[in-house]
Amino acid sequence: MRFGRRTWTVLLVVLVVLVAAGTYGLLAVERPRVDSVDSEWGTVTSERTEVETRIGVDNPRLLRVGDAAADVSYTVSMNDLEVASERKRQVDAAGDEATVTVSTWLDNDDIPAWWASHIRRNETTTVRVEPDVVIEYAGLRLPAEEWTRTHTVRTDLLEPLQTTEPREFQAGGQPVFVVNETDARWGNATAERTPIDASATVTNPTSLPIPITEVRYAVRLNGIRVGEGVASERTVLPANSTRTLAANATIDNDRLDEWWVTHLRNDETSTLTVDFTATLEYAGLERELPLDFLSYNRTFRTDMLGSTGAGAVDSSGSQESVTARNGGGAIDGTSRSSPPDSEPTPLVTVELFETPLRTSRV
């Protein structure tokens, strides 16, 4: 059978299409695959923080012999705020499974902006590591399948102040006032400042008004003072009445980069300390005393990169949730259970002026 020129042309076109389709199918199926992404903190200085990342790549059969190299770029973001990025070219990627190690640096000046986002998102941070790997071999460039690792951390730093436990304060064995409940909420956090709006519902059971000339506060993270000032101006607790005493504090976010260094060097563990102090007038005396019902310590631990036993998250988009911890108890932001009605909370009695810090005639 003899074929004409047109027939041969058609056969040639079909052959080229089949070869191209087969080649495309081979390359599409045999793309490299990212198997794992593991990150941890490296060197920490006062100015910057190193992020070390190991990327496991499963190479196709085509690349398991010879000299294969990889171009790697990746970004690290915290609550969609990109804090680190890196690009590395011509990394050795030969073999069945290659491990590509790269590192980049986080600027500690970015910590205030991250902290503000953490507070605004109800004390939640999602850390996202997104690698981009392209394998080069014999003139071919094969991009690895997309793969993202996410990790979520939650804290609940104000929980100790959210209580309805009553406390009675005395002077000379006589009740002066009773704290019925306390509360605290975050204000509008910005990159510059983080407000803490604290309050206490106080009852003055006496027949005399109690003037409070001033309430001051100090906030520390791992001993570093990150906020101080006047929480409220002069106020009076009227006789035989109940009032809400406001005590507002502010964290200066510019000081958080210094705290960040101590947090990482302390195995991502920190203690938040909030102290309120009042200057009180009573029985002709002015005394300065700590407001223990508003002051507290809160120890918490994070695992920002999921490097302490948390599993990797694949490209499906599922994510690992990690809760900060306070001692052995979880700080997960869930509501606390109230005591049953049959077991009322006992009244805690405190001697108000047992050890005054300052006494002066007024």
Side-chain angles (χ1 to χ4, degrees):
M1 181 179 295
R2 304 182 67 180
F3 295 102
R5 177 177 298 179
R6 176 171 296 181
T7 302
W8 282 110
T9 301
V10 172
L11 289 175
L12 180 61
V13 170
V14 171
L15 180 62
V16 169
V17 170
L18 290 175
V19 171
T23 302
Y24 174 80
L26 173 65
L27 295 180
V29 172
E30 292 292 332
R31 290 174 62 184
R33 185 176 69 249
V34 175
D35 279 343
S36 62
V37 176
D38 297 307
S39 299
E40 61 183 9
W41 303 113
T43 302
V44 180
T45 72
S46 58
E47 289 81 25
R48 59 181 190 166
T49 304
E50 184 181 24
V51 182
E52 298 177 341
T53 301
R54 292 175 299 280
I55 305 171
V57 181
D58 183 11
N59 282 329
R61 289 188 299 271
L62 179 65
L63 305 181
R64 294 180 183 180
V65 294
D67 298 325
D71 288 345
V72 180
S73 61
Y74 80 107
T75 60
V76 180
S77 60
M78 298 159 63
N79 283 347
D80 299 328
L81 174 66
E82 186 175 306
V83 295
S85 63
E86 183 61 43
R87 184 175 181 85
K88 198 170 185 179
R89 295 181 178 274
Q90 297 299 303
V91 181
D92 182 18
D96 294 1
E97 295 183 359
T99 299
V100 179
T101 302
V102 290
S103 67
T104 188
W105 293 90
L106 178 155
D107 191 336
N108 293 350
D109 288 341
D110 290 333
I111 294 305
W114 157 72
W115 171 273
S117 74
H118 181 74
I119 299 301
R120 287 196 300 265
R121 297 189 182 205
N122 196 27
E123 295 190 49
T124 301
T125 290
T126 297
V127 181
R128 184 182 301 272
V129 180
E130 297 179 277
D132 183 14
V133 180
V134 178
I135 303 294
E136 293 186 357
Y137 177 72
L140 294 174
R141 286 181 57 85
L142 301 177
E145 298 175 1
E146 293 184 1
W147 200 95
T148 300
R149 188 183 196 280
T150 60
H151 188 71
T152 299
V153 174
R154 296 182 178 90
T155 58
D156 190 5
L157 302 180
L158 300 183
E159 188 268 345
L161 282 182
Q162 298 163 354
T163 177
T164 57
E165 177 186 9
R167 307 176 94 184
E168 181 181 88
F169 287 76
Q170 297 183 352
Q174 299 297 318
V176 177
F177 61 85
V178 176
V179 178
N180 304 302
E181 62 179 302
T182 59
D183 193 16
R185 295 288 185 269
W186 296 108
N188 182 29
T190 68
E192 292 75 31
R193 60 195 300 270
T194 305
I196 301 175
D197 299 332
S199 63
T201 302
V202 180
T203 296
N204 175 9
T206 72
S207 59
L208 297 174
I210 301 177
I212 300 176
T213 59
E214 185 180 71
V215 176
R216 299 191 64 84
Y217 71 90
V219 183
R220 296 176 179 84
L221 277 164
N222 282 348
I224 298 172
R225 186 166 297 209
V226 295
E228 59 183 337
V230 176
S232 65
E233 302 291 347
R234 183 180 179 89
T235 187
V236 176
L237 300 179
N240 299 309
S241 66
T242 299
R243 291 289 186 271
T244 297
L245 175 64
N248 300 321
T250 300
I251 294 176
D252 183 356
N253 290 358
D254 288 341
R255 304 181 186 181
L256 292 178
D257 54 348
E258 184 179 356
W259 156 75
W260 172 258
V261 174
T262 69
H263 184 66
L264 295 188
R265 289 178 177 173
N266 198 34
D267 193 27
E268 291 192 54
T269 302
S270 290
T271 298
L272 171 66
T273 303
V274 182
D275 291 318
F276 288 97
T277 304
T279 302
L280 205 68
E281 293 180 20
Y282 184 77
L285 299 176
E286 183 178 274
R287 306 191 181 206
E288 186 177 286
L289 71 152
L291 297 181
D292 291 335
F293 56 87
L294 285 175
S295 304
Y296 71 99
N297 294 327
R298 183 67 152 173
T299 298
F300 62 98
R301 184 176 184 275
T302 62
D303 184 16
M304 301 293 289
L305 298 178
S307 57
T308 57
V313 180
D314 60 23
S315 56
S316 65
S318 60
Q319 66 182 27
E320 186 92 13
S321 177
V322 171
T323 299
R325 296 196 173 274
N326 178 20
I331 308 174
D332 58 4
T334 57
S335 60
R336 304 177 313 285
S337 59
S338 301
D341 294 338
S342 58
E343 299 179 10
T345 303
L347 185 67
V348 179
T349 303
V350 180
E351 181 65 34
L352 187 62
F353 292 142
E354 183 177 6
T355 55
L357 301 179
R358 178 169 62 86
T359 303
S360 60
R361 293 285 180 183
V362 293

